């Protein structure tokens, strides 16, 4: 199914670019982070996301090389943090 120009424009009009994490995660159902593969950076980010987002929100990492349990280890609600990746398995997908 192809997206029409009108659908693409409507979707783009609904985006809200920001560099403020709290603004970026205001009222989400799911958050997917795509930060560089740095364990401390991802841990700190998930602690912040865990504080900003209520427990029903699913928090995802698109890590290719770090263990999700390590990334989630400092968050309060670790059970809602999972890995998602746009290509599976990432180490076999030529980019």
């Amino acid at each position: 199914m192809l997206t029409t120009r009108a659908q693409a424009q409507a979707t783009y009009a609904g985006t809200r670019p920001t560099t403020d994490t709290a603004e970026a995660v205001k009222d989400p159902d799911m958050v997917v982070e795509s930060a560089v593969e740095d364990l401390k950076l991802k841990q700190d980010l998930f602690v912040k996301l865990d504080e900003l987002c209520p427990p029903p929100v699913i928090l995802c990492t698109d890590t290719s090389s770090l263990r999700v349990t390590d990334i989630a280890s400092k968050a309060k609600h670790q059970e809602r943090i999972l890995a998602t990746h746009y290509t599976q398995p990432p180490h076999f997908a030529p980019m």
Side-chain angles (χ1 to χ4, degrees), residues 29-35 37 42 45-47 49-50 55-73 75 77-86 88:
D29 293 318
M30 183 172 99
V31 175
V32 180
E33 70 72 28
S34 297
E37 293 290 279
K42 287 184 182 270
L45 181 56
F46 276 94
V47 166
L49 291 172
D50 195 36
V57 176
I58 299 167
L59 304 177
C60 305
T61 177
D62 78 339
T63 185
S64 297
S65 61
L66 301 172
R67 291 171 23 128
V68 178
T69 52
D70 293 339
I71 293 169
S73 66
H77 300 282
Q78 298 174 16
E79 69 282 356
R80 67 183 177 144
I81 300 172
L82 55 101
T84 57
H85 206 284
Y86 301 108
Q88 289 294 344

